[in-house]
Amino acid sequence: MKQTFYFCILLLFWITACKNNRDETLAREMLEEVQSNFAPDKRVALFDVSWNNGVLTGETNIKEAHQKLLEKLNTVGISYTDSVKLLPDPALGDLNLALVTNSVANIRSEPRHSAELATQALMGTPLNVLKASGSWYLVQTPDGYLSWVDAAAIVRLDQKKLNLWMEKEKIVVTEMIANIYADESASDIVSDITAGNVLELIEITQTGYSVALPDNRRGFIPLEKAVPYERWKNSRSTDDQSLIQTARLMMGSPYLWGGTSPKGMDCSGFTKTIYFLNGMVIPRDASQQINEGELVDSDKNWENLEVGDLLFFGVPATAESKERVVHVGMWIGDNQFIHSRGRVRISSFDPNDENYDAYELNRYLRTKRIRNKPSEHILSVDQVLQ
């Protein structure tokens, strides 16, 4: 009798252990599936969720992904404790939006000034605020990028105040690098500004614009340095001349890892800035940009390329490793492309050209065309700024 009792107890333990192991394996598989479907790129989707002995922990700003995971667990009858934090953090209250109020906000990979510069956002850019860490905020830019910004570079708002700001008349800075002055005398500087900055228009005078920054500082911009937003928006074009002219205005600008402004930019920040200043918001990184548009060339047939096409460079895939996309530039015709490597420069694939670039030629991967190629990851500036 005792033997039978002990056998039953052992059998129960064994069955329970098997079920627990099955549940652990199945839950982890479901978690990986949801993460793969909803957040394959951690740069633009936050789904940092873990499963440990029946407890879900972590955080996400993708409510649909969280709900899908719970549905899957419920469907197969797995018991769990849900301790996942949904962002934006409720501690932010209603102030879970922001506007950039510096000419360029440096947005970093971690909440500290010594962390890697991940990307930048221009004055007047709206941001989603997800959580705080000291004086830093985890934000998401209009192109989806997730990184940390110092509180000094933004002003936090609720939805109502952001809507009010969006409805106001605005101007857009067109000069690559300029200043906002305290008044028309131009003796005192309120802030530096750069092309693409957006400010509230208070008044147009004979010599310039009275403006308000997103944090309500006031100032004056000379007439030739900016244009009213509607005029700017309606004049944007990705025709050959506009793209080449914009790119050439940044010739010699220094390379800056993480930079996306005329003050300094990395390779993909440069192509992103060219297109933004001509009305298009494209993905942040070269490894994201390469997924957009239409394949034009992968065999160095330069006659197939058009102005504005994006050329990608890197390391091809092998049986042991994935492709690595490490550089991007923009085709400007006549066997030439413009790109940011060390500084913004023009390179050529013509061996007889003084700008012949054997280095980039040897690591060329392929060319994509994004002009007039609709994509859910390519927005108009109107979708971002209005």
Side-chain angles (χ1 to χ4, degrees):
M1 186 68 117
K2 285 184 177 181
Q3 288 180 334
T4 302
F5 174 76
Y6 289 136
F7 174 77
C8 289
I9 293 296
L10 289 173
L11 181 61
L12 181 61
F13 281 145
W14 180 77
I15 292 172
T16 301
C18 287
K19 182 180 184 305
N20 288 341
N21 288 336
R22 180 196 71 93
D23 287 355
E24 285 282 320
T25 300
L26 192 55
R28 293 182 189 279
E29 290 175 352
M30 290 178 172
L31 181 58
E32 289 178 6
E33 181 184 354
V34 169
Q35 187 164 31
S36 177
N37 289 336
F38 286 89
D41 187 342
K42 293 182 179 180
R43 292 169 294 185
V44 295
L46 176 57
F47 189 77
D48 185 14
V49 177
S50 301
W51 171 276
N52 187 25
N53 294 324
V55 180
L56 285 169
T57 58
E59 59 187 8
T60 181
N61 69 328
I62 312 171
K63 293 181 180 179
E64 296 85 354
H66 176 249
Q67 189 59 41
K68 176 60 70 173
L69 178 58
L70 299 189
E71 288 175 3
K72 285 179 171 290
L73 294 172
N74 292 334
T75 298
V76 296
I78 296 178
S79 298
Y80 60 87
T81 299
D82 180 19
S83 296
V84 175
K85 177 183 285 188
L86 294 177
L87 301 178
D89 190 337
L92 296 172
D94 294 331
L95 302 180
N96 55 13
L97 299 166
L99 288 169
V100 175
T101 195
N102 282 358
S103 61
V104 178
N106 293 320
I107 305 180
R108 301 188 178 276
S109 58
E110 298 290 339
R112 60 181 188 275
H113 285 291
S114 59
E116 175 188 45
L117 183 63
T119 190
Q120 293 179 319
L122 302 180
M123 182 183 293
T125 301
L127 306 171
N128 290 320
V129 182
L130 301 181
K131 65 177 182 177
S133 177
S135 64
W136 290 80
Y137 292 97
L138 179 65
V139 296
Q140 189 164 34
T141 60
D143 57 14
Y145 225 77
L146 292 158
S147 297
W148 293 87
V149 65
D150 184 5
I154 62 172
V155 56
R156 289 170 58 204
L157 305 167
D158 59 23
Q159 187 67 62
K160 182 178 179 181
K161 288 186 177 179
L162 181 62
N163 290 344
L164 287 173
W165 189 86
M166 290 287 193
E167 293 168 0
K168 292 176 178 177
E169 280 194 80
K170 303 182 189 69
I171 64 161
V172 181
V173 177
T174 52
E175 189 78 6
M176 286 296 159
I177 305 290
N179 292 312
I180 302 173
Y181 297 100
D183 53 42
E184 295 187 36
S185 69
S187 55
D188 293 321
I189 295 174
V190 174
S191 174
D192 68 326
I193 45 177
T194 189
N197 283 184
V198 179
L199 301 103
E200 179 188 347
L201 174 61
I202 305 299
E203 182 185 8
I204 302 178
T205 71
Q206 289 186 337
T207 58
Y209 306 97
S210 294
V211 298
L213 285 72
D215 60 2
N216 292 321
R217 283 178 292 167
R218 298 295 180 100
F220 174 83
I221 299 177
L223 208 58
E224 68 276 10
K225 308 295 184 183
V227 297
Y229 176 78
E230 288 298 322
R231 192 198 311 169
W232 179 83
K233 179 188 71 173
N234 294 331
S235 65
R236 296 306 90 190
S237 172
T238 55
D239 61 34
D240 292 4
Q241 182 180 356
S242 297
L243 292 176
I244 292 174
Q245 182 180 29
T246 300
R248 284 182 174 275
L249 285 173
M250 291 180 275
M251 280 289 289
S253 294
Y255 180 93
L256 175 65
W257 177 268
T260 61
S261 84
K263 290 183 173 183
M265 68 285 287
D266 56 27
C267 62
S268 56
F270 177 54
T271 53
K272 180 177 175 63
T273 298
I274 295 169
Y275 270 96
F276 175 76
L277 294 179
N278 286 286
M280 285 175 57
V281 179
I282 68 175
R284 169 64 183 90
D285 291 341
S287 58
Q288 297 169 316
Q289 293 174 6
I290 198 172
N291 296 321
E292 306 305 318
E294 173 185 272
L295 178 64
V296 174
D297 173 74
S298 56
D299 297 313
K300 302 179 181 178
N301 295 318
W302 312 127
E303 67 274 10
N304 295 333
L305 276 57
E306 296 178 359
V307 171
D309 288 347
L310 298 184
L311 289 75
F312 296 93
F313 307 86
V315 182
T318 67
E320 294 78 30
S321 61
K322 295 181 179 180
E323 177 184 81
R324 290 179 56 232
V325 181
V326 300
H327 192 59
V328 61
M330 189 187 79
W331 192 252
I332 58 173
D334 195 26
N335 283 329
Q336 295 181 323
F337 63 99
I338 190 166
H339 58 131
S340 179
R341 191 187 76 209
R343 65 179 183 277
V344 174
R345 64 178 70 210
I346 291 174
S347 290
S348 174
F349 289 144
D350 181 353
N352 298 316
D353 193 301
E354 63 178 348
N355 295 318
Y356 176 61
D357 197 331
Y359 175 72
E360 296 298 359
L361 180 63
N362 289 332
R363 61 177 188 165
Y364 172 75
L365 295 173
R366 57 190 175 277
T367 297
K368 301 293 289 290
R369 182 166 299 152
I370 63 173
R371 277 198 305 186
N372 304 318
K373 303 297 176 183
S375 166
E376 64 174 311
H377 301 119
I378 296 178
L379 308 174
S380 71
V381 291
D382 218 23
Q383 291 173 281
V384 172
L385 299 177
Q386 284 291 86

